[in-house]
Amino acid sequence: MTSAATLAPPTTPEPRTRGHASAWLAGAAAGAVAFSGTGAATLNGDELATISAASRSLAGLWELAQHIDGHFLPYYVFMHFWAKAGTAELWLRLPSALAIAVAAGLLVALGGRLHSTRAGVTAAAVFAVLPSVSYYGAFARSCAFAAAAVVLSFWALHRAAERPEAARRWVVYGVSVALVCCTHLFAVLVLPAQLVAAVALLPRRDLLLRALPALAAGGVPAVVLGLVGYGERHAISWIPQRGPEVLLKFPKMAAGAAEAGLPLFAVALAGAGLLWWSARTRPGGRVWAATLLGWLVLPPLLLLAVSHLVTPAYVDRYLFVTAPALALLAGLAAASVPRMAVAACCALVAVTVAAGFAQHVEVREPNGRFEDVPWALRRMDVRPGDAIVYGQSSVRAGFDYYGAGATPDDVLRIGTAPDPDGFGFPERDDVAEALAGRERVWVVWRGAKSSGARLPRVEAVREAGFEQKSAWHSADLPGLTVALYTAP
C-alpha cells in the first residue's frame, strides 16, 4: 500500500519565478484556445443582448437595469466602454478569452499552493481543453469573467489564510469576493465552500476580525444585485422547473461533453481523496480537499434548491464557475500518481482532448451557438415587395447585425431604437393592415417549427389571410425557424 507521504508533493519549495512563468504561459495558451472557439460561430440571442445593452448610453443602461438584467449591470457597463472600439464578433468575444487566460494562470498559482506547479499546470491545461471553455471563452457574456473571479477568490483565500495577520491579503480577498458577486449573481454559490474553509482554518480572532469582515464587505454587491434580480425574476420565467435528475447531467455541463465530463468527474473525486489523504504531510489538506469539493458540487445543489424555493433558475451556463474546480481536482489527482506523475498528467490532458474533440468542432461551426442568423438570411429567397415578421421582437437584433439591408421590408417596426426597458423593439399591433397588399411574408422565430403556433405574431399573420408554404429549421435546438407565408 502506498503511504500518504509517497503521494504528497515534494517539501522543497519550487522557485517562485518558475511558477510565475508557468502561470503566464498557461494563461496565454488557454486564452488562445478559448479565443479560437470563436471560429465561424455566429452571435446568439444572449450575445446580441450584450450588444444591445452596451450600445446604449449610461442613462439608457440604468433604465434597462431597472426592468431587466439589473444583476448584469457591472458587466454591461464594462462592455459599454469596450464596445466603443467596435462590435465585431471577435472584438466582443475577446474579453471572455482574456478572462479564461486569467483563470488558467490563477489555476497554476492555486495548484502550486495546494500541491505543486506540475499540478497547477496540469489543471490549467485540462481547463483550457474543456469544450465548455471553448464555448464560454468565446461568448460575449459574463460567464468567463465569473470563472476567473471565482478562481481569484480561492487563490486569495488560500494566500490570506497562510498569513492571517497580513491585513492587505484580506483586502485582496474581499475585493475578489466583490468581483465574484459582480460578474454573475449565481457565482456566489461557491462562497459557502470558502466560508467553511475559513472557519476550519483560522483561529477565532482572525476569523471574526479579518475573514468574516472581508467576506461580508465583498458580499455587499451580491445582496444588492440579488434584490434586483429577485425583483426582475420575471425575466427568467422561461426557465422550466428541474428535478434532482438534472444533477446527473452536471459532469457533462461542467466539461461541455459527457465523454470528457464523466471520467474527469471521477478523477476529480479521486483528487479530493488524495488531497485529504496527504493531510499528514501537508497541513490543511483535509480542509482544502473539502473546500475544493464544495466548489465543485455545491453550486449545482444550491442552484437546484433556489429553483425550488424561490424561482426556477437552473440553467447550465450559470454553473460554468465549477469548471475550474473540476480541472483543478483532476490535476491534483494526476500530479499525485507515484513515480509516474508526468506521464499521468500528460495522459489526462490527452484523454480530455480526445474525449471532447467532437464538441470542440461543434462549437466552432456556424451554428455553434445554436442561432445561425446568416443561415436564416441565406435561406430566404427575398423578392421585391416581400415583408418580414419576427415571432419574437428580440430576434430582429440578429438580422439588424448580419442583414446589412438585405432583409425583406420590416413592416411592423417603429423606429430604430430598441425598447428602453428590454431587448425587443417597438412594433405596430395592426399586423393585417401592415401586411395589406403583400403577396409573401417571411416569418422568423426562435425555436422549433412547432413552437410558432404558440406565438401571437405568427398567429396574427395567419389571421391576416396568409398560409404557410414552406418552413425550415436550423440544425439544433432552440435554433431558428424560417417560414414563408403567401397570400391565397
Side-chain angles (χ1 to χ4, degrees), residues 10 14 108 111-112 115-124 331 334-337 340-342 345:
E14 298 181 359
V108 174
H115 189 284
S116 62
T117 299
R118 178 183 298 153
V121 170
T122 303
S336 298
V337 175
M340 296 182 63
V342 173
C345 291

Side-chain angles (χ1 to χ4, degrees), residues 43 47-58 61 74-96 140 145 401:
L43 300 172
E47 295 178 288
L48 291 166
T50 296
I51 296 177
S52 176
S55 301
R56 305 177 192 214
S57 65
L58 292 177
L61 263 179
Y75 173 70
Y76 285 158
V77 170
F78 168 81
M79 291 301 293
H80 168 80
F81 291 102
W82 183 269
K84 288 185 179 296
T87 57
E89 292 172 348
L90 294 179
W91 181 249
L92 289 170
R93 289 169 169 170
L94 179 58
S96 292
F145 285 68
Y401 185 87

Side-chain angles (χ1 to χ4, degrees), residues 370-465:
F370 311 118
E371 287 186 32
D372 190 353
V373 175
W375 166 86
L377 287 166
R378 292 191 302 271
R379 176 57 65 180
M380 294 181 186
D381 175 24
V382 181
R383 302 176 187 174
D386 284 4
I388 188 168
V389 170
Y390 298 97
Q392 303 99 344
S393 179
S394 60
V395 173
R396 179 181 281 105
F399 288 78
D400 284 350
Y401 185 87
Y402 289 105
T407 58
D409 298 336
D410 192 349
V411 294
L412 298 184
R413 185 169 191 162
I414 302 174
T416 59
D419 291 324
D421 58 354
F423 298 112
F425 292 80
E427 292 183 334
R428 296 174 56 175
D429 292 325
D430 52 341
V431 177
E433 184 175 342
L435 295 176
R438 303 282 177 167
E439 296 294 326
R440 306 198 324 160
V441 181
W442 296 93
V443 185
V444 184
W445 63 85
R446 182 182 294 113
K449 294 179 183 180
S450 58
S451 63
R454 300 187 295 272
L455 298 174
R457 279 288 183 257
V458 179
E459 181 60 27
V461 172
R462 294 195 186 97
E463 292 177 354

